[in-house]
Amino acid sequence: MISNGELVQVIIPCFNGQEYLEETLVSIQNQTHNNFDCLMVDDGSSDNSLEIFNRSAQKDSRFRLLRGDKNQGESYAVNK
């Protein structure tokens, strides 16, 4: 990996996104710019999104989670 430049903050609003979440997280982790912080904002998912994200967070401290209790919409999740 190339350690370069300024910190990039990635925000992933997620509501029941298990279908593509793992692929998304792997893609972020495999970028050549490795100075990033990835925040997944869970908007009350009832699928396996949290488990998928937690696996990535256990392997890589750059992945963090902010969890909501109920679905309030993508705009709310991003603003949170």
Side-chain angles (χ1 to χ4, degrees):
M1 283 191 252
I2 299 170
S3 179
N4 53 359
E6 296 182 28
L7 177 67
V8 173
Q9 295 183 313
V10 179
I11 300 172
I12 303 172
C14 182
F15 175 70
N16 292 341
Q18 72 180 16
E19 185 174 355
Y20 300 107
L21 184 58
E22 188 162 7
E23 180 181 345
T24 299
L25 298 173
V26 167
S27 177
I28 292 167
Q29 192 171 32
N30 288 336
Q31 296 300 307
T32 56
H33 184 98
N34 66 359
N35 188 18
F36 69 84
D37 179 51
C38 181
L39 176 64
M40 184 179 103
V41 182
D42 180 69
D43 197 22
S45 293
S46 59
D47 65 358
N48 290 322
S49 294
L50 290 175
E51 290 83 7
I52 293 167
F53 188 82
N54 283 333
R55 281 197 306 267
S56 291
Q58 287 177 356
K59 296 176 191 173
D60 193 328
S61 64
R62 297 174 294 183
F63 290 89
R64 297 180 301 124
L65 175 66
L66 183 59
R67 185 169 186 213
D69 294 335
K70 63 180 180 176
N71 183 283
Q72 296 189 34
E74 183 177 357
S75 296
Y76 179 85
V78 171
N79 288 330
K80 188 171 184 177

